[in-house]
Amino acid sequence: MRRIMNRSITSASVLSLALLAGACGHAAGDTSTSKSADSAGSGGKLTVASVYGLTTDPFWTTLGCGAKTEAAKLGVTYKEYTSANGDASSYSQNFSSAQVSKPDAMLVNASNPNQFTSQYKTLMKQGVPVATINSAKPATQYKVVGTDTENLDFLTELSDLVPDGSGTMAIVNGIPGLEPVDSRLNPVVSAIKKANPDLKALSPQYTNWDVTKATSAVSSLLIAHPDLKVIVAADGPDGQATAAAVKQAGKAGKVTVIALDATPTEVDALKAGTITALVAQSPRQIGEQQVKTVVDYLRQGKDGAVPASSDKVGVPQKLLTKKNVSDAANADWIYKTGC
């Protein structure tokens, strides 16, 4: 949910999107109160602070790994302010700790892109560039660095996987109206409908990213709709649940399952043939590009306020199938549980 988040938008319930395992370079609760003596202002080492939650979600773990690796490559100090949960209050506490540490730049990947707009304005006036995974409205960050939701060449390949003939299609999602999820989910659903106009879409099932609840919901759908041909899972937890329910029903390979994200559990189900395809983001590259974007700005030596914009650095999505998931070229699109 993910993840665009990767993977996210409004309240504590929205912020609960999660899956599996801890984050890299974890510095939650870091209460450093001043820049290092060798910070950018003195021509020395830069410090980049990163704020995000849900370290139990492999998407964020992998993003953190990418950011940490790029920071080391560029010779800058990287600090994370994270939490295992996605509560708005936890985001706020971590953001405050990061801001108090007086970094040269900040990466803020809050689930609600408008949560810290006033703080962004303050930081940017002070010359501190802020990169985010989703854009605040109106734009108050320097750059958006996240998943490309406009160049979707993979949809052609996805369309070839859609079965012919009449039947029903189900959509399993965390909550309705979550823009970062919808911006990835809706094009996939549209492509499936276009590939097979005879599919009848059932009412979406909303699970609040509860794997047990989602498994039960999909199991019920399979019983109630014997003609169910396609299931689209909007995120990692729902992809995991859908795969489990389809397997339990003995319908692996008989029902086409298209799931977003590429968590370890989803990848295992893909390799087993329970999931037909995964629409994957590359959180590692997002983390790398976020660090690179703010460091490039700082090293230009510009004075004064940082200009705000909705300009986006987009990292492409990929369609993973059983045939290509093990290809080395696709490694960056598979989420990790550790660095």
Side-chain angles (χ1 to χ4, degrees):
M1 43 260 294
R2 323 209 280 275
R3 338 178 208 111
I4 293 185
M5 230 275 33
N6 317 279
R7 0 251 300 344
S8 347
I9 282 299
T10 51
S11 63
S13 65
V14 175
L15 297 165
S16 64
L17 170 60
L19 284 177
L20 296 168
C24 326
H26 183 218
D30 189 323
T31 55
S32 173
T33 58
S34 63
K35 289 184 183 179
S36 165
D38 65 348
S39 68
S42 58
K45 197 168 187 179
L46 299 171
T47 297
V48 176
S50 178
V51 180
Y52 62 89
L54 296 169
T55 55
T56 51
D57 183 341
F59 177 90
W60 296 110
T61 300
T62 310
L63 183 147
C65 290
K68 184 178 181 181
T69 299
E70 185 66 14
K73 176 182 175 182
L74 297 177
V76 303
T77 298
Y78 174 75
K79 295 183 178 181
E80 287 185 347
Y81 299 79
T82 68
S83 56
N85 64 59
D87 293 343
S89 59
S90 295
Y91 271 104
S92 183
Q93 291 170 7
N94 288 329
F95 184 96
S96 295
S97 295
Q99 188 173 11
V100 165
S101 74
K102 299 188 181 302
D104 298 293
M106 285 186 67
L107 315 176
V108 186
N109 294 316
S111 291
N112 180 351
N114 295 316
Q115 185 175 355
F116 302 111
T117 52
S118 62
Q119 292 95 322
Y120 295 169
K121 290 178 181 178
T122 299
L123 288 164
M124 300 269 281
K125 285 181 180 178
Q126 296 171 347
V128 178
V130 178
T132 61
I133 199 167
N134 296 306
S135 180
K137 296 180 181 179
T140 50
Q141 69 283 320
Y142 166 58
K143 286 280 178 68
V144 177
V145 184
T147 296
D148 187 346
T149 56
E150 296 182 3
N151 301 301
L152 306 175
D153 294 341
F154 67 88
L155 291 178
T156 300
E157 183 182 356
L158 183 147
S159 297
D160 292 338
L161 301 176
V162 179
D164 297 326
S166 61
T168 54
M169 174 177 67
I171 300 170
V172 189
N173 196 354
I175 65 169
L178 199 57
E179 193 278 334
V181 174
D182 288 348
S183 65
R184 298 182 61 227
L185 174 65
N186 291 344
V188 169
V189 172
S190 295
I192 293 171
K193 289 180 178 179
K194 184 177 180 180
N196 184 355
D198 293 328
L199 286 174
K200 178 185 176 182
L202 302 172
S203 297
Q205 299 289 308
Y206 296 108
T207 66
N208 202 34
W209 305 290
D210 184 317
V211 173
T212 301
K213 180 179 178 180
T215 303
S216 177
V218 175
S219 296
S220 296
L221 285 171
L222 289 166
I223 294 171
H225 301 278
D227 64 344
L228 187 57
K229 278 195 168 183
V230 178
I231 303 175
V232 183
D235 51 77
D238 288 314
Q240 174 184 342
T242 298
V246 168
K247 183 179 180 180
Q248 289 169 9
K251 293 195 175 183
K254 299 176 183 178
V255 176
T256 298
V257 177
I258 307 296
L260 276 63
D261 294 321
T263 66
T265 304
E266 288 180 299
V267 170
D268 287 343
L270 179 68
K271 291 178 178 178
T274 311
I275 289 178
T276 310
L278 297 173
V279 180
Q281 305 175 81
S282 178
R284 187 190 72 79
Q285 290 189 54
I286 292 172
E288 287 180 352
Q289 289 299 319
Q290 286 187 341
V291 171
K292 185 176 186 301
T293 295
V294 294
V295 172
D296 282 352
Y297 176 84
L298 291 168
R299 286 182 171 166
Q300 291 175 26
K302 295 181 179 179
D303 294 324
V306 180
S309 78
S310 57
D311 292 349
K312 184 172 184 176
V313 177
V315 176
Q317 301 179 70
K318 275 199 175 183
L319 188 72
L320 302 179
T321 64
K322 188 175 182 179
K323 291 182 178 180
N324 70 15
V325 68
S326 298
D327 293 352
N330 294 329
D332 282 352
W333 281 264
I334 297 175
Y335 309 173
K336 311 295 184 184
T337 58
C339 296

